[in-house]
Amino acid sequence: NKTFPAEKYPGMNWLVMDANKLEFEDESLDAVVDKGTLDAMQVNIDVLKPIQEVYRTLKPGGSLTSVTFDPATKRVGQMQAANDAWTSCSSLTIQKETSLGESFVFVHKCIK
């Protein structure tokens, strides 16, 4: 992979797969971090299936963390709509000043 050369990132594996059908075993992951994937997908695709797939692959006590421009009412709502069995969900709002003015980034975390 030319974008992420192995010699620059030793010990990391870069995988490409369909977010609607993750190639991981049930309850095999401790944590999943989404940084913009669901934001990009929700333009044309229902994001409930990818969130359901993440839930399926998480071990009990595992977490899904989503870094997004969507506030909790939208993203955590999607996470809970995809599977209402999350043990807990929490959110953090980060306010930033940019050259274009004020902007917000949200970090949402749900625990299986």
Side-chain angles (χ1 to χ4, degrees):
N1 187 324
K2 293 181 182 179
T3 307
F4 302 107
E7 61 275 2
K8 188 172 179 181
Y9 302 96
M12 293 194 73
N13 295 316
W14 302 92
L15 305 173
V16 177
M17 64 184 73
D18 183 348
N20 291 300
K21 192 171 193 283
L22 297 176
E23 299 169 17
F24 298 110
E25 298 292 323
D26 293 357
E27 298 185 348
S28 61
L29 303 175
D30 293 309
V32 173
V33 177
D34 160 52
K35 172 61 176 79
T37 302
L38 295 174
D39 288 340
M41 291 180 73
Q42 71 185 358
V43 173
N44 294 314
I45 300 170
D46 180 10
V47 298
L48 297 184
K49 180 61 176 163
I51 296 170
Q52 290 167 344
E53 277 293 285
V54 167
Y55 188 91
R56 177 188 65 76
T57 64
L58 287 173
K59 295 176 182 176
S63 65
L64 166 57
T65 301
S66 181
V67 181
T68 179
F69 293 114
D70 287 336
T73 52
K74 182 170 185 176
R75 180 53 46 83
V76 173
Q78 291 170 330
M79 293 161 100
Q80 291 173 330
N83 193 314
D84 64 359
W86 296 102
T87 301
S88 66
C89 293
S90 59
S91 296
L92 171 70
T93 302
I94 302 168
Q95 183 178 355
K96 296 175 25 175
E97 291 292 329
T98 69
S99 60
L100 300 174
E102 187 176 66
S103 70
F104 296 90
V105 175
F106 302 94
V107 180
H108 311 297
K109 183 176 184 177
C110 286
I111 307 293
K112 181 174 181 179

